[in-house]
Amino acid sequence: MTARPDPRDLLDIDSLLTDEERAIRDTVRRFVRDRVLPDVGDWFERGEFPRELIKELAGIGLFGMHLTGYGCAGTGPVPYGLACMELEAGDSGMRSFVSVQGSLAMFPIHRYGTEEQKQEWLPRMAAGDAIGCFGLTEPDSGSDPGSMRTTARRDGSDWILNGTKMWITNGGIADVAVVWARAEEGIRGFLVPAGTPGFTTRNITAKMSLRASVTSELILDEVRLPESAMLPGALGLRGPLSCLSEARFGILFGAVGAARACFEAALDYSLSRIQFGRPIAAFQLTQRRLAEMAVQVNRAALLAMHLGRLKEAGRLHPAQVSVGKLDNVRQALEVAREARAMLGANGITLEYPVIRHMNNLESLATYEGTAEVHTLVLGQALTGIPAYRTDSAT
Ligand SMILES: Cc1cc2nc3c(=O)[nH]c(=O)nc-3n(C[C@H](O)[C@H](O)[C@H](O)COP(=O)(O)OP(=O)(O)OC[C@H]3O[C@@H](n4cnc5c(N)ncnc54)[C@H](O)[C@@H]3O)c2cc1C
């Protein structure tokens, strides 16, 4: 008779991975078990990102791992996704750091930068010796980045940047900020090194989500940059949007990791928590919850793997990434909320991972395109009609 399936891998998704992919996943899983899980509750409570782990994350090749050359691992998209899944099973702060470093800071330099820019930044960033951030969102410009007010004006051969960026992951600890600004010819990307006169940052501390992650405001006041700071290959919103599509790919895997961690916490708890003389896992209502959660986690993992294989084949469309980002985050939030309820009062403490993931997932639902924005992306992909604003159908 066929053996009972592994409750932690109900659909045997493990069998969809190559040996190399499994090895990378296991390396990251071990790192999370040994270096993240023992302390992450404290980091979250104190609102700290563990900077001491940056070199270790670099040591296992996670920064820009899906990019080639310049010290990057060049592993392809599925291993990158699996790494995101495992990191986020630890905490979204870890995954967000790696996503921003690799997909939002290194990727634009790799894709749109000059050879000099690549040589200057990418090897150091891959090694964890330089940290990057990505400044697109502004206080008055979130879902609609085309409304940005940050400007870049020419002054001789220099550029002068003015404006404020908001909610920028890694902003306060970054050595280089990829800043998107409105120039006369359209939106341009700039590499702004920390310490450039007129460039300051301020951390946003009163957060209840992604507490083990640095989120900052970037202030640009008459920041003078040489021509060589501009990314020549990107003009218009397509530049930053392509970076976001890369990062969303990591998020849709990451959400599976958070959901899996919540499901496993609920499963373990239900088997050991006794009420009415029985483990709560013995009640039909609990089993229904567990069954629903297992289906959601496995379905999300399958979707992530399918999109990963499409990306590997060079056939992944941004609208397909939207399907994954929208639904995997939504499913993960539902799983987290069910798990929270199953843990009863313990579910609201940081002794268990569930409420931490639940709160983190609220950020996932907002950043890199809110659930509503991805719904509109899909609406446009299905109908051909953009519905972002009332006049956009015309
Ligand atoms: C923890 C965290 C980290 C972040 N890191 C970064 C980063 O590193 N770099 C960066 O640039 N940004 C970052 N962001 C910002 C993030 O990308 C924005 O928060 C996001 O794009 C949404 O913008 P907003 O918060 O201004 O919301 P808004 O755009 O003001 O939206 C508010 C609400 O209105 C809805 N809405 C907006 N437009 C429409 C519409 N047309 N139809 C229907 N509903 C609509 C939205 O879905 C949302 O529910 C981060 C955010 C968070 C929370």
Side-chain angles (χ1 to χ4, degrees):
M1 200 179 82
T2 313
R4 174 180 165 236
D6 177 358
R8 282 151 216 276
D9 185 15
L10 193 62
L11 293 183
D12 195 14
I13 287 166
D14 196 70
S15 65
L16 302 177
L17 309 183
T18 64
D19 287 345
E20 191 204 350
E21 289 165 353
R22 220 172 281 128
I24 292 171
R25 182 207 55 195
D26 290 347
T27 301
V28 184
R29 191 174 281 186
R30 261 194 313 276
F31 173 83
V32 167
R33 185 195 62 203
D34 298 342
R35 304 291 291 130
V36 176
L37 291 179
D39 296 310
V40 65
D42 290 340
W43 300 329
F44 190 93
E45 189 166 13
R46 293 201 300 266
E48 279 175 19
F49 173 76
R51 293 181 69 169
E52 64 275 16
L53 294 191
I54 294 173
K55 285 295 284 179
E56 293 182 46
L57 289 163
I60 51 174
L62 298 188
F63 296 153
M65 67 187 282
H66 57 313
L67 304 176
T68 48
Y70 309 96
C72 303
T75 55
V78 172
Y80 171 59
L82 293 169
C84 288
M85 189 185 293
E86 296 307 320
L87 288 170
E88 187 131 3
D91 190 81
S92 186
M94 293 292 126
R95 203 269 311 140
S96 294
F97 184 92
V98 170
S99 284
V100 169
Q101 178 82 348
S103 291
L104 292 181
M106 294 173 74
F107 173 80
I109 299 172
H110 195 272
R111 165 138 329 163
Y112 302 119
T114 61
E115 191 53 37
E116 291 68 37
Q117 290 168 337
K118 293 179 198 184
Q119 294 291 353
E120 181 180 0
W121 290 108
L122 293 179
R124 283 199 285 149
M125 292 172 89
D129 293 328
I131 298 168
C133 71
F134 175 89
L136 179 66
T137 306
E138 300 182 356
D140 296 318
S141 169
S143 301
D144 179 18
S147 66
M148 74 169 62
R149 294 183 187 166
T150 298
T151 56
R153 71 168 199 276
R154 284 193 185 272
D155 184 33
S157 63
D158 289 346
W159 289 92
I160 311 287
L161 267 58
N162 278 291
T164 304
K165 297 290 176 181
M166 191 73 179
W167 303 110
I168 307 307
T169 303
N170 298 349
I173 55 171
D175 299 287
V176 61
V178 177
V179 171
W180 300 94
R182 182 179 300 289
E184 210 175 76
E185 65 265 35
I187 288 167
R188 284 270 185 212
F190 295 87
L191 302 181
V192 185
T196 304
F199 175 45
T200 50
T201 66
R202 192 163 40 215
N203 289 347
I204 299 166
T205 51
K207 295 181 291 178
M208 295 307 289
S209 176
L210 272 177
R211 288 183 54 74
S213 171
V214 175
T215 316
S216 320
E217 201 177 341
L218 312 181
I219 300 128
L220 301 129
D221 180 12
E222 291 287 300
V223 173
R224 180 176 289 275
L225 297 169
E227 175 71 18
S228 61
M230 193 260 285
L231 295 172
L235 177 60
L237 262 188
R238 247 167 16 107
L241 293 186
S242 67
C243 305
L244 291 171
S245 196
E246 286 295 302
R248 284 166 190 152
F249 176 78
I251 293 176
L252 69 90
F253 273 87
V256 181
R260 189 189 72 208
C262 291
F263 164 69
E264 290 182 357
L267 178 63
D268 293 342
Y269 191 83
S270 70
L271 289 166
S272 63
R273 175 72 179 167
I274 311 290
Q275 288 294 286
F276 299 98
R278 310 181 75 193
I280 59 170
F283 302 122
Q284 288 183 345
L285 291 177
T286 307
Q287 291 195 4
R288 178 182 178 171
R289 275 182 153 149
L290 289 169
E292 291 293 345
M293 291 160 86
V295 169
Q296 287 172 297
V297 171
N298 280 273
R299 206 169 50 201
L302 279 179
L303 175 56
M305 283 303 298
H306 173 63
L307 295 176
R309 296 295 180 220
L310 282 181
K311 189 166 169 61
E312 218 167 50
R315 291 194 288 121
L316 185 62
H317 188 275
Q320 294 166 325
V321 177
S322 286
V323 174
K325 202 270 182 183
L326 173 67
D327 201 50
N328 280 9
V329 173
R330 181 163 59 190
Q331 299 305 325
L333 261 171
E334 281 181 20
V335 168
R337 287 173 185 148
E338 280 299 312
R340 214 297 304 148
M342 281 180 62
L343 267 66
N346 280 318
I348 69 158
T349 71
L350 286 173
E351 270 182 51
Y352 293 85
V354 176
I355 198 153
R356 184 167 47 75
H357 286 302
M358 195 176 107
N359 283 8
N360 286 341
L361 284 161
E362 292 294 342
S363 285
L364 267 70
T366 287
Y367 70 19
E368 316 263 343
T370 65
E372 291 73 27
V373 164
H374 287 292
T375 304
L376 294 173
V377 169
L378 293 179
Q380 182 174 1
L382 295 171
T383 64
I385 307 168
Y388 300 91
R389 58 185 101 235
T390 48
D391 62 353
S392 61
T394 55

